[in-house]
Amino acid sequence: MNPRTDPRTDPRTEPRGTRRDLYAAAAALLLVLAAVLVGRHIEDTYGTLHVGAPPLYGRWLPHLGPGTPAALAVAAAVVAYGPALTARLRWRALLASAWATATAWILSLALIDGWHRGIAKRLTTKYEYLQVIDRFHDIPATLRDYTRHILIDSPDHWPAHTAGHPPAAPLTFVLLDRIGLGGGGWAGLWCVIVGATACVAVLVAVRALAGEELARRAAPFMVVVPGAVWMGASADAYFAAVAAWAVALLALAVSGSGRSVWWAAGAGLLFGLTCYLSYGLTLFALIGLAVLFLGRVRVRERPVALAALFCAGLAVVPVVFTLAGFNWWEAYHLLMTRYDQGAGGIRPYGYWVWGNLACTVLVVGVATVAGLRRTVGRLVRPDGRGGGQARLALLAGAALLALLAADLSGMSKAETERIWLPFAMWLVPACAFLPRARPWLAAQVALALLVNHLVLTGW
């Protein structure tokens, strides 16, 4: 591409574009400020938000911790060397480095709260999955009886997170316990280590669909995403990784980047698992449709093989759970009732429908907001500056559409800083559109460090 026509280097357009990026970032921060002030007023006056640090679930607690020096070191290293290293490392080395650095970033942020409070205790609270480990001593019987304990007025009702998710979520931790990795520490590390692979999956998909250059430009932002604050010992980080790999394998299958169409079977298997980890992640079908559209040439070449393999993989998890006696649709409808029985029925939709978006700003960071501004511009006014950019814009746009659908559904009121992590990871590659990486990377890590040191997160 001629540098004179590249939107990242053209001196006639770059200053104007940068100003608009800054306006978008400033507007996003004003949204967060409004959510804080309005939310504080509503909670103090009516007590209906059921969050301690609106719009975040947690409580105001300025603090330092053993993870503070490590988090500062990781942040400084990525800002200083990330863009250069991601530009010159071999692809496989880049992916390995991204996973290792993302793991270090998530762990260091979690350890700001200390090992016990930041990792080992997170999945052992009264709302969490580890509370029900002993109730799965007979797994088939528990699955058959699963839906009978979803409603809050049912005998021995499930804790909130178990009731709010299909059984693959708690069953994951049951199986970890069975192989000797029981307790909150191992469960937390599982979520951190597996969750960190989500950034690798997204990079694989971006490379397959939009090109390696854009994937490399997105890599530093994927590594230090502010959402890492909530990926530390949150099961939603694990869900995000499974969903991300489902999309990545589908991208390999339909782009020709993979060695064979057998990637489609793996994509179907993981997408089926995704739907049995979280009901809301069925919205990942929108991202999957975008992948199929971007790979439509390959799909037309082998439509029967791709469809058959994907559907065969997709059927595995639903068939296993259905034969075991778990009815997904019945459980989902019971969940809707349970949601209204708890805080979800009290929290005001009128606040959370936009307060959730303020949470999303804190998860994806202001750089992603600026990148999404450019994404929308490429979707609304295609300019022929590169097929890869248009394809990445469509992928990020599909993720944004899925997130907005979740928002409007009313089934995501509060706690979206963790619940929407799977969707948020697909918005961050929009940062590849930004002309200068380091200032925006600095803004990303500063936001994550500020939030983690000022608010004690938890659920």
Side-chain angles (χ1 to χ4, degrees), residues 5 84 92 131 139 151 249 257 272 340 347 360 398 444:
T5 62
R92 291 186 180 181
Q131 289 291 322
I139 292 176
L151 297 182
L249 295 185
S257 300
D340 290 334
R347 287 168 171 158
T360 305
Q444 296 289 87

Side-chain angles (χ1 to χ4, degrees), residues 288-353:
L289 288 174
V291 172
L292 291 176
F293 177 78
L294 293 173
R296 60 192 181 279
V297 174
R298 172 88 164 172
V299 172
R300 288 169 184 164
E301 291 174 356
R302 306 185 69 178
V304 176
L306 285 168
L309 288 169
F310 179 82
C311 290
L314 179 63
V316 172
V317 174
V319 166
V320 169
F321 277 99
T322 302
L323 291 177
F326 173 73
N327 187 319
W328 192 96
W329 284 105
E330 179 188 4
Y332 175 67
H333 285 99
L334 288 171
L335 164 64
M336 295 175 70
T337 302
R338 169 69 183 261
Y339 188 74
D340 290 334
Q341 290 177 328
I346 300 171
R347 287 168 171 158
Y349 181 86
Y351 171 81
W352 287 111
V353 73

Side-chain angles (χ1 to χ4, degrees), residues 192-342:
V192 169
I193 294 170
V194 175
T197 69
C199 78
V200 178
V202 174
L203 293 177
V204 168
V206 171
R207 180 181 184 245
L209 297 170
E212 188 170 317
E213 180 187 356
L214 288 171
R216 288 179 178 274
R217 290 179 61 84
F221 295 94
M222 295 299 307
V223 165
V224 290
V225 58
V229 171
W230 297 277
M231 293 179 79
S234 164
D236 295 271
Y238 158 52
F239 304 163
V242 175
W245 281 110
V247 175
L249 295 185
L250 184 61
L252 290 175
V254 304
S255 67
S257 300
R259 295 181 180 179
S260 75
V261 293
W262 284 96
W263 291 115
L269 179 65
L270 291 181
F271 185 73
L273 177 57
T274 297
C275 295
Y276 277 73
L277 289 170
S278 175
Y279 299 103
L281 294 187
T282 53
L283 287 171
F284 255 75
L286 293 173
I287 303 176
L289 288 174
V291 172
L292 291 176
F293 177 78
L294 293 173
R296 60 192 181 279
V297 174
R298 172 88 164 172
V299 172
R300 288 169 184 164
E301 291 174 356
R302 306 185 69 178
V304 176
L306 285 168
L309 288 169
F310 179 82
C311 290
L314 179 63
V316 172
V317 174
V319 166
V320 169
F321 277 99
T322 302
L323 291 177
F326 173 73
N327 187 319
W328 192 96
W329 284 105
E330 179 188 4
Y332 175 67
H333 285 99
L334 288 171
L335 164 64
M336 295 175 70
T337 302
R338 169 69 183 261
Y339 188 74
D340 290 334
Q341 290 177 328

Side-chain angles (χ1 to χ4, degrees), residues 380-405:
V380 174
R381 295 185 300 275
D383 53 15
R385 284 172 174 163
Q389 292 191 19
R391 294 164 77 82
L392 177 57
L394 182 61
L395 186 64
L400 181 60
L401 180 62
L403 186 145
L404 292 176

